[in-house]
Amino acid sequence: MKDFSVFEIIGPKMIGPSSSHTAGAARLGRIAGKVANYDIKSVKFVLHGSFAKTYRGHGTDRALMAGILGIKESDERLRDSLSIADERGIEYEFIEDDLGEVHPNTVKFLIEKTNGEKIELIGSSIGGGNIKVVEINSLKLEFTGQYPTLITRHLDHPGIIAKITKILADYNINIAFMSVYRQSKGQDAFMVIESDNELNPKIIDDIKNSVKDVKRVYVINSI
Amino acid sequence: MVYNFSSGKELIEICKEYDKKIWEVMILRESEKSEKTTEEIFSMMKENLEVMKKSVERGLNEDIKSVSGLVGGDAKLLKNRYENCNTISGSRMLKAVASAMAVLEVNASMGQVVAAPTAGSCGILPGVLITVGEEFGINDEDLVKALFTSSAVGLIIAENATVSGAEGGCQAETGSAAAMAAAALVELMGGDPEQALHGAAMTIKNILGLVCDPIAGLVECPCVKRNAIGTANAFISADMALAGIKSLIPFDEVIDSMYRVGKSMPDALRETALGGLAATPTGKKIAREILGKDK
């Protein structure tokens, strides 16, 4: 049985016209923006399916860019996001393409940060403004942004997960959901932890400083 | 949870057992669920009412054009008529209808709205409640209560059927919004919880089978006008319920039938823009023009 809050029936407050093509797109953009720490030199949006077909009429382009800039789906600046990006000198491009076996409302973000670091993120808007991220830097994973989320990119070595969860325990953080993914044994791996508690940004440095072989740590508290 | 319910029947039983109105039960349910105080919950809903008011105000007074250029300005045309002419439907009805259209036009122009229950049906509740509020001198506090009444109906539909056009057609989207509005009107005007659900049931029955066939896949045409008819439907059904007219088929069974009708609709009539008005020669021509055009 589904169990809705009253504010899922009357709400959310949003910029129109579509909860999936506008509000959901803005939330996906915000996750991509957060993963890049809102430090963006250029971004390409590869649009799939219904996103590719109707993005102009639904303002999906402006919503995605708004998200990248950290603008919320209820913020009226959303409709001006492309000019805000121009003012900030962010290069951007919208590309219509087929991303294969994914949800009809899917986008791939190709982000280049000012230091040249590249981030690739794929996510889908799955209805009513709800979203899921399905791939980061070519590694398949899944999270929704509904819970504070910690993502680590590390080498697939014994003990790393235990060290990271120990740090979370020291911060008194309860883990709600946890998944690990890897490309191949001993190589690049990802861990996604969704917690019940707000994640202190200091956790990022604690993990980086005390756990060897962790390459990247991302914290997404709420979208 | 004491105040939890998942059907109209259960809602009525709780209302009777604790001698509460629907809106009271809904706030208490949310409080139990979220562990927020009833005051906090009330003020969160008040914010939604404020956004609704602003969207009506904007749509009735500003020159609105959607991003695609398909809709905009119709709410003002209707306003001009009820302000200056002796209308067929009456100015109160048309004011509500124009207000509902206004909100949909604001939505289509990338303005701020409250999904109620969805973006495509976001005009009906503000159109109905804000107009009735003005016409009868009802204060904001009572309008917020009416929003809680409406959300109980929306909750039951969302839990047992669907409010998404992609799943159940327009009957599930603007039909649900109109049913929510009808129940809210009944309770606001002094009807009891059973009458409120009869109002909601009659509203859905009136548009059972309505398909979702947006031109070019955009939340614009026929959505603006479907919000108009949803508003009129809510008014009529609320008055019927307040007159003592009952729905022969109980609310829960009407919702169930709406869900089954939605499930049996072909994909082409569920938001895919492949059937209905979207598949007419004119609909297809407009789609080609819009989807091909640069921003």
Side-chain angles (χ1 to χ4, degrees), chain B residues 56 59-60 74-80 82 91-105 123 127 131 224 227-228 231:
Chain B
V56 168
L60 284 181
D74 288 348
K76 281 182 82 174
L77 283 178
L78 196 59
K79 181 186 174 210
N80 186 43
Y82 71 71
S91 63
R92 180 177 292 157
M93 166 80 86
L94 292 181
K95 190 176 175 187
V97 168
S99 301
M101 293 170 79
V103 177
L104 253 279
E105 289 178 352
T131 302
V224 174
N227 274 258
T231 302

Short mmCIF file of all heavy atoms in Angstrom, two decimals, chain B residues 56 59-60 74-80 82 91-105 123 127 131 224 227-228 231:
data_model
loop_
_atom_site.label_atom_id
_atom_site.label_comp_id
_atom_site.label_asym_id
_atom_site.label_seq_id
_atom_site.Cartn_x
_atom_site.Cartn_y
_atom_site.Cartn_z
N VAL B 56 -3.57 32.56 -9.48
CA VAL B 56 -4.86 33.01 -10.02
C VAL B 56 -4.76 34.50 -10.40
O VAL B 56 -5.13 34.91 -11.51
CB VAL B 56 -6.00 32.81 -8.99
CG1 VAL B 56 -7.26 33.55 -9.43
CG2 VAL B 56 -6.29 31.33 -8.79
N GLY B 59 -2.62 35.01 -13.55
CA GLY B 59 -3.23 34.50 -14.77
C GLY B 59 -4.43 35.33 -15.23
O GLY B 59 -4.70 35.43 -16.42
N LEU B 60 -5.13 35.96 -14.27
CA LEU B 60 -6.31 36.76 -14.64
C LEU B 60 -5.94 38.18 -15.07
O LEU B 60 -6.73 38.86 -15.71
CB LEU B 60 -7.29 36.83 -13.47
CG LEU B 60 -8.15 35.60 -13.18
CD1 LEU B 60 -9.07 35.87 -12.00
CD2 LEU B 60 -8.96 35.18 -14.40
N ASP B 74 -6.68 33.08 -22.68
CA ASP B 74 -8.08 32.66 -22.68
C ASP B 74 -8.78 32.99 -21.36
O ASP B 74 -9.96 33.35 -21.34
CB ASP B 74 -8.20 31.16 -22.97
CG ASP B 74 -7.90 30.84 -24.43
OD1 ASP B 74 -7.84 31.79 -25.24
OD2 ASP B 74 -7.71 29.66 -24.75
N ALA B 75 -8.04 32.90 -20.26
CA ALA B 75 -8.63 33.23 -18.96
C ALA B 75 -9.08 34.70 -18.96
O ALA B 75 -10.16 35.04 -18.48
CB ALA B 75 -7.62 32.98 -17.84
N LYS B 76 -8.25 35.55 -19.55
CA LYS B 76 -8.60 36.98 -19.60
C LYS B 76 -9.82 37.23 -20.49
O LYS B 76 -10.65 38.09 -20.19
CB LYS B 76 -7.41 37.80 -20.09
CG LYS B 76 -6.37 38.06 -19.00
CD LYS B 76 -5.22 38.90 -19.50
CE LYS B 76 -5.56 40.38 -19.49
NZ LYS B 76 -4.36 41.19 -19.85
N LEU B 77 -9.90 36.49 -21.58
CA LEU B 77 -11.07 36.64 -22.46
C LEU B 77 -12.36 36.30 -21.71
O LEU B 77 -13.36 37.02 -21.80
CB LEU B 77 -10.94 35.70 -23.67
CG LEU B 77 -10.00 36.13 -24.79
CD1 LEU B 77 -9.96 35.06 -25.88
CD2 LEU B 77 -10.44 37.47 -25.38
N LEU B 78 -12.31 35.21 -20.95
CA LEU B 78 -13.50 34.79 -20.20
C LEU B 78 -13.83 35.80 -19.09
O LEU B 78 -15.00 36.12 -18.85
CB LEU B 78 -13.29 33.38 -19.63
CG LEU B 78 -14.55 32.66 -19.17
CD1 LEU B 78 -15.56 32.50 -20.31
CD2 LEU B 78 -14.20 31.27 -18.61
N LYS B 79 -12.78 36.31 -18.47
CA LYS B 79 -12.97 37.32 -17.42
C LYS B 79 -13.68 38.55 -18.00
O LYS B 79 -14.60 39.10 -17.40
CB LYS B 79 -11.60 37.71 -16.85
CG LYS B 79 -11.68 38.74 -15.73
CD LYS B 79 -10.29 39.18 -15.31
CE LYS B 79 -10.33 40.30 -14.30
NZ LYS B 79 -9.18 41.19 -14.41
N ASN B 80 -13.22 38.94 -19.16
CA ASN B 80 -13.82 40.08 -19.83
C ASN B 80 -15.32 39.84 -20.06
O ASN B 80 -16.14 40.74 -19.89
CB ASN B 80 -13.10 40.30 -21.17
CG ASN B 80 -13.57 41.56 -21.86
OD1 ASN B 80 -13.74 42.59 -21.21
ND2 ASN B 80 -13.82 41.47 -23.15
N TYR B 82 -17.41 37.66 -18.28
CA TYR B 82 -18.28 37.65 -17.09
C TYR B 82 -18.32 39.00 -16.40
O TYR B 82 -19.26 39.30 -15.66
CB TYR B 82 -17.94 36.50 -16.12
CG TYR B 82 -16.64 36.59 -15.34
CD1 TYR B 82 -16.47 37.51 -14.31
CD2 TYR B 82 -15.59 35.72 -15.62
CE1 TYR B 82 -15.28 37.57 -13.60
CE2 TYR B 82 -14.40 35.76 -14.91
CZ TYR B 82 -14.25 36.70 -13.90
OH TYR B 82 -13.08 36.76 -13.21
N SER B 91 -21.90 34.57 -13.52
CA SER B 91 -20.55 35.10 -13.33
C SER B 91 -19.78 34.35 -12.24
O SER B 91 -18.56 34.22 -12.33
CB SER B 91 -20.59 36.60 -13.03
OG SER B 91 -21.28 36.82 -11.83
N ARG B 92 -20.47 33.83 -11.23
CA ARG B 92 -19.74 33.10 -10.19
C ARG B 92 -19.06 31.86 -10.78
O ARG B 92 -17.89 31.61 -10.57
CB ARG B 92 -20.69 32.70 -9.06
CG ARG B 92 -19.98 31.94 -7.96
CD ARG B 92 -20.94 31.61 -6.83
NE ARG B 92 -21.36 32.80 -6.13
CZ ARG B 92 -22.48 32.88 -5.41
NH1 ARG B 92 -23.29 31.84 -5.32
NH2 ARG B 92 -22.80 34.00 -4.79
N MET B 93 -19.83 31.10 -11.51
CA MET B 93 -19.30 29.91 -12.17
C MET B 93 -18.13 30.28 -13.10
O MET B 93 -17.07 29.67 -13.08
CB MET B 93 -20.42 29.22 -12.96
CG MET B 93 -19.97 28.17 -13.96
SD MET B 93 -19.59 26.59 -13.19
CE MET B 93 -21.22 25.85 -13.17
N LEU B 94 -18.33 31.31 -13.89
CA LEU B 94 -17.32 31.66 -14.90
C LEU B 94 -16.06 32.25 -14.27
O LEU B 94 -14.97 32.10 -14.78
CB LEU B 94 -17.91 32.61 -15.94
CG LEU B 94 -18.97 31.96 -16.84
CD1 LEU B 94 -19.47 32.95 -17.87
CD2 LEU B 94 -18.44 30.71 -17.53
N LYS B 95 -16.24 32.91 -13.13
CA LYS B 95 -15.08 33.45 -12.43
C LYS B 95 -14.20 32.28 -11.97
O LYS B 95 -12.98 32.32 -12.10
CB LYS B 95 -15.55 34.26 -11.23
CG LYS B 95 -14.47 35.06 -10.55
CD LYS B 95 -15.10 35.91 -9.43
CE LYS B 95 -14.04 36.63 -8.63
NZ LYS B 95 -14.63 37.31 -7.46
N ALA B 96 -14.83 31.23 -11.44
CA ALA B 96 -14.08 30.05 -11.01
C ALA B 96 -13.40 29.37 -12.20
O ALA B 96 -12.24 28.97 -12.13
CB ALA B 96 -15.02 29.07 -10.29
N VAL B 97 -14.15 29.27 -13.29
CA VAL B 97 -13.61 28.62 -14.48
C VAL B 97 -12.42 29.42 -15.03
O VAL B 97 -11.37 28.87 -15.34
CB VAL B 97 -14.73 28.47 -15.55
CG1 VAL B 97 -14.13 28.06 -16.90
CG2 VAL B 97 -15.76 27.43 -15.10
N ALA B 98 -12.59 30.73 -15.13
CA ALA B 98 -11.51 31.57 -15.64
C ALA B 98 -10.29 31.48 -14.72
O ALA B 98 -9.14 31.46 -15.18
CB ALA B 98 -11.98 33.03 -15.76
N SER B 99 -10.53 31.42 -13.42
CA SER B 99 -9.41 31.33 -12.46
C SER B 99 -8.65 30.02 -12.64
O SER B 99 -7.42 29.99 -12.59
CB SER B 99 -9.94 31.42 -11.02
OG SER B 99 -10.62 32.64 -10.84
N ALA B 100 -9.40 28.94 -12.86
CA ALA B 100 -8.75 27.64 -13.08
C ALA B 100 -7.91 27.68 -14.35
O ALA B 100 -6.76 27.23 -14.38
CB ALA B 100 -9.81 26.54 -13.17
N MET B 101 -8.48 28.27 -15.41
CA MET B 101 -7.73 28.38 -16.67
C MET B 101 -6.50 29.26 -16.48
O MET B 101 -5.43 28.98 -17.03
CB MET B 101 -8.64 28.98 -17.76
CG MET B 101 -9.79 28.06 -18.15
SD MET B 101 -11.00 28.88 -19.22
CE MET B 101 -10.17 28.79 -20.80
N ALA B 102 -6.66 30.31 -15.68
CA ALA B 102 -5.55 31.22 -15.42
C ALA B 102 -4.36 30.47 -14.83
O ALA B 102 -3.21 30.67 -15.23
CB ALA B 102 -6.01 32.33 -14.47
N VAL B 103 -4.63 29.60 -13.87
CA VAL B 103 -3.53 28.87 -13.21
C VAL B 103 -2.84 27.93 -14.20
O VAL B 103 -1.61 27.82 -14.23
CB VAL B 103 -4.06 28.08 -11.99
CG1 VAL B 103 -2.94 27.27 -11.36
CG2 VAL B 103 -4.66 29.04 -10.95
N LEU B 104 -3.62 27.28 -15.05
CA LEU B 104 -3.02 26.39 -16.05
C LEU B 104 -2.17 27.17 -17.04
O LEU B 104 -1.12 26.71 -17.49
CB LEU B 104 -4.12 25.62 -16.78
CG LEU B 104 -4.25 24.14 -16.43
CD1 LEU B 104 -3.23 23.30 -17.17
CD2 LEU B 104 -4.10 23.93 -14.93
N GLU B 105 -2.62 28.39 -17.35
CA GLU B 105 -1.83 29.22 -18.27
C GLU B 105 -0.53 29.66 -17.60
O GLU B 105 0.53 29.67 -18.23
CB GLU B 105 -2.65 30.44 -18.72
CG GLU B 105 -3.78 30.03 -19.68
CD GLU B 105 -4.67 31.19 -20.13
OE1 GLU B 105 -4.53 32.32 -19.59
OE2 GLU B 105 -5.52 30.96 -21.00
N GLY B 123 -5.25 23.74 -11.80
CA GLY B 123 -6.10 24.93 -11.82
C GLY B 123 -7.40 24.77 -11.05
O GLY B 123 -7.97 25.76 -10.56
N GLY B 127 -9.07 27.52 -8.56
CA GLY B 127 -10.20 28.19 -9.23
C GLY B 127 -11.45 28.09 -8.40
O GLY B 127 -12.14 29.09 -8.15
N THR B 131 -12.36 31.41 -5.68
CA THR B 131 -13.57 32.11 -6.13
C THR B 131 -14.68 32.01 -5.08
O THR B 131 -15.29 33.02 -4.71
CB THR B 131 -14.08 31.51 -7.46
OG1 THR B 131 -13.03 31.61 -8.41
CG2 THR B 131 -15.30 32.25 -7.97
N VAL B 224 -5.88 23.08 -20.43
CA VAL B 224 -6.45 24.32 -19.87
C VAL B 224 -7.98 24.20 -19.83
O VAL B 224 -8.61 24.49 -18.80
CB VAL B 224 -6.03 25.55 -20.71
CG1 VAL B 224 -6.75 26.80 -20.22
CG2 VAL B 224 -4.52 25.75 -20.64
N ASN B 227 -9.40 21.70 -17.34
CA ASN B 227 -9.47 22.29 -16.00
C ASN B 227 -10.72 23.16 -15.89
O ASN B 227 -11.32 23.26 -14.81
CB ASN B 227 -8.21 23.09 -15.68
CG ASN B 227 -7.10 22.22 -15.12
OD1 ASN B 227 -6.85 22.20 -13.92
ND2 ASN B 227 -6.44 21.46 -15.99
N ALA B 228 -11.12 23.79 -16.99
CA ALA B 228 -12.34 24.60 -16.99
C ALA B 228 -13.56 23.72 -16.71
O ALA B 228 -14.36 24.01 -15.81
CB ALA B 228 -12.49 25.31 -18.34
N THR B 231 -13.77 22.37 -13.19
CA THR B 231 -14.25 23.36 -12.22
C THR B 231 -15.78 23.40 -12.21
O THR B 231 -16.41 23.37 -11.15
CB THR B 231 -13.68 24.75 -12.59
OG1 THR B 231 -12.25 24.64 -12.58
CG2 THR B 231 -14.12 25.82 -11.63
#
